């Protein structure tokens, strides 16, 4: 039975338990729960690799406030390869603990998750969200630092930078940019860094970033786009002309005039 069908039938059965706005007696409720759990268990038995069935089962138990049952099912699912490797299951597990106000349990679940799967951004984001929700900015920062040790993609670094900017930690954000351009030494990383400095009205620092980028990529075919335009905005026409000349030299175009910086 598909997970969507099972969940749909579950909702219908729950509605049937209400007769003229009055809940039926406890015996019928107990029978209903036994019946639905049996159906879920049979679905799992016939499709243990179907993670959707596991997650539907977990969410159903959580909707009944049966947190202990939901927790038990999560642990069983994690014993299966399909569950162990599935980030969504880990996140659902943590979210159930969080919604039930078991924050320490949620933290332990997510710590297990990022330890086992340190290269899955979704798990780090969930863990950081938990700490921010609790107002633990320092703990969230430590998680970012722990994550950055695994050298994630550029988006991971940018998320860390945005985190620091949200808390007006501009110098910390600058330090992270320095690490970003070392971890991902691409032109776009340097340009983002320079634009960050410009946004903070640090013209001198922005120019320094551009100059370092030009020097770094001078021997390659990469072009540091935006630097001449930057100097033009800053009314440094001489510098702009010098940068235009660099581009011409890189393209093999001769210019008789002296290069000006």
């Amino acid at each position: 039975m598909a997970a969507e069908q099972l969940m749909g039938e579950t909702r219908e059965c729950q509605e049937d338990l209400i007769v003229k706005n009055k809940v039926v007696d406890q015996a019928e409720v107990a029978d209903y729960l036994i019946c639905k759990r049996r159906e879920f268990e049979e679905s799992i038995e016939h499709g243990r690799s179907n993670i959707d069935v596991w997650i539907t089962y977990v969410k159903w138990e959580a909707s009944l406030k049966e947190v202990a049952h939901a927790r038990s099912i999560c642990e069983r699912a994690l014993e299966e390869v399909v569950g162990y490797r599935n980030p969504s299951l880990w996140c659902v597990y943590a979210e159930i603990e969080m919604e039930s106000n078991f924050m320490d349990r949620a933290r332990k679940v997510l710590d297990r998750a990022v330890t086992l799967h340190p290269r899955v951004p979704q798990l780090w984001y969930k863990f950081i969200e938990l700490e921010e929700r609790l107002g633990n900015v320092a703990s969230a920062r430590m998680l970012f630092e722990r994550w950055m040790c695994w050298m994630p993609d550029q988006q991971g670094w940018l998320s860390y930078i945005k985190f620091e900017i949200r808390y007006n930690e501009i110098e910390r954000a600058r330090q992270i940019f320095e690490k970003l351009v070392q971890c991902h030494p691409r032109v776009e990383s340097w340009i983002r860094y320079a634009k960050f400095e410009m946004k903070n009205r640090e013209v001198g620092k922005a120019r320094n970033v551009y100059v370092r980028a030009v020097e770094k990529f001078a021997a390659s075919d990469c072009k540091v786009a935006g630097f001449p335009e930057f100097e033009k905005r800053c009314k440094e026409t001489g510098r702009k002309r010098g940068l235009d000349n660099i581009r011409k030299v890189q393209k093999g175009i001769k210019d008789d005039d002296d290069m000006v910086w």
Side-chain angles (χ1 to χ4, degrees), residues 17 54 96 113 120 128 142 150 208 214 235 239 261:
L17 289 175
W54 286 101
I96 287 171
V120 179
I128 291 163
M142 288 176 63
W150 290 93
N208 179 260
V214 168
K235 302 187 185 304
R239 289 178 182 271
W261 281 91

Side-chain angles (χ1 to χ4, degrees), residues 171-186:
E171 184 56 38
R172 287 182 183 273
R174 182 173 291 117
Q175 292 170 7
I176 299 164
F177 260 118
E178 284 291 337
K179 295 177 182 178
L180 167 61
V181 296
Q182 297 301 317
C183 184
H184 296 285
R186 299 194 294 265

Side-chain angles (χ1 to χ4, degrees), residues 129-195:
E129 176 195 334
L130 165 63
E131 297 298 353
E132 279 203 271
R133 187 185 296 188
L134 295 174
N136 297 332
V137 177
S139 295
R141 181 175 291 118
M142 288 176 63
L143 285 172
F144 267 119
E145 284 294 325
R146 183 176 162 191
W147 181 17
M148 296 306 108
C149 290
W150 290 93
M151 296 184 178
D153 61 16
Q154 189 181 67
Q155 189 55 50
W157 289 92
L158 293 176
S159 296
Y160 189 8
I161 290 167
K162 290 177 182 177
F163 165 83
E164 295 295 5
I165 291 173
R166 281 203 306 276
Y167 294 100
N168 201 33
E169 294 285 355
I170 304 304
E171 184 56 38
R172 287 182 183 273
R174 182 173 291 117
Q175 292 170 7
I176 299 164
F177 260 118
E178 284 291 337
K179 295 177 182 178
L180 167 61
V181 296
Q182 297 301 317
C183 184
H184 296 285
R186 299 194 294 265
V187 171
E188 62 184 272
S189 300
W190 288 91
I191 292 175
R192 284 180 181 274
Y193 188 2
K195 288 182 177 180

Side-chain angles (χ1 to χ4, degrees), residues 75-252:
E75 290 295 340
R76 286 170 55 198
L78 290 174
E79 292 176 0
E80 304 288 335
V81 173
V82 67
Y84 167 83
R85 293 178 177 175
N86 191 281
S88 295
L89 177 62
W90 287 100
C91 289
V92 167
Y93 190 177
E95 189 63 38
I96 287 171
E97 298 289 13
M98 291 162 69
E99 289 179 352
S100 302
N101 207 32
F102 293 117
M103 298 304 181
D104 284 339
R105 285 182 177 273
R107 187 178 285 113
K108 289 177 181 178
V109 168
L110 290 168
D111 187 62
R112 285 168 60 194
V114 298
T115 299
L116 292 168
H117 307 289
R119 298 190 184 279
V120 179
Q122 182 182 352
L123 299 174
W124 289 104
Y125 287 131
K126 193 67 178 179
F127 203 170
I128 291 163
E129 176 195 334
L130 165 63
E131 297 298 353
E132 279 203 271
R133 187 185 296 188
L134 295 174
N136 297 332
V137 177
S139 295
R141 181 175 291 118
M142 288 176 63
L143 285 172
F144 267 119
E145 284 294 325
R146 183 176 162 191
W147 181 17
M148 296 306 108
C149 290
W150 290 93
M151 296 184 178
D153 61 16
Q154 189 181 67
Q155 189 55 50
W157 289 92
L158 293 176
S159 296
Y160 189 8
I161 290 167
K162 290 177 182 177
F163 165 83
E164 295 295 5
I165 291 173
R166 281 203 306 276
Y167 294 100
N168 201 33
E169 294 285 355
I170 304 304
E171 184 56 38
R172 287 182 183 273
R174 182 173 291 117
Q175 292 170 7
I176 299 164
F177 260 118
E178 284 291 337
K179 295 177 182 178
L180 167 61
V181 296
Q182 297 301 317
C183 184
H184 296 285
R186 299 194 294 265
V187 171
E188 62 184 272
S189 300
W190 288 91
I191 292 175
R192 284 180 181 274
Y193 188 2
K195 288 182 177 180
F196 159 80
E197 296 293 10
M198 280 298 292
K199 189 173 182 179
N200 287 285
R201 300 182 180 181
E202 294 285 357
V203 176
K205 286 185 171 65
R207 179 176 290 116
N208 179 260
V209 171
Y210 273 125
V211 169
R212 288 167 60 195
V214 168
E215 291 174 349
K216 182 175 182 62
F217 296 103
S220 70
D221 293 330
C222 298
K223 308 298 186 297
V224 184
F227 195 3
E229 291 74 15
F230 161 79
E231 294 291 12
K232 184 177 180 180
R233 287 198 303 273
C234 296
K235 302 187 185 304
E236 293 283 356
T237 54
R239 289 178 182 271
K240 177 184 181 298
R241 191 158 175 269
L243 289 164
D244 287 338
N245 284 338
I246 287 178
R247 286 181 171 178
K248 291 178 181 179
V249 170
Q250 288 177 329
K251 292 178 181 178

Side-chain angles (χ1 to χ4, degrees), residues 10-21:
T10 299
R11 283 194 294 269
E12 291 176 4
C13 289
Q14 287 174 322
E15 291 171 0
D16 290 342
L17 289 175
I18 301 176
V19 181
K20 295 181 180 180
N21 297 323

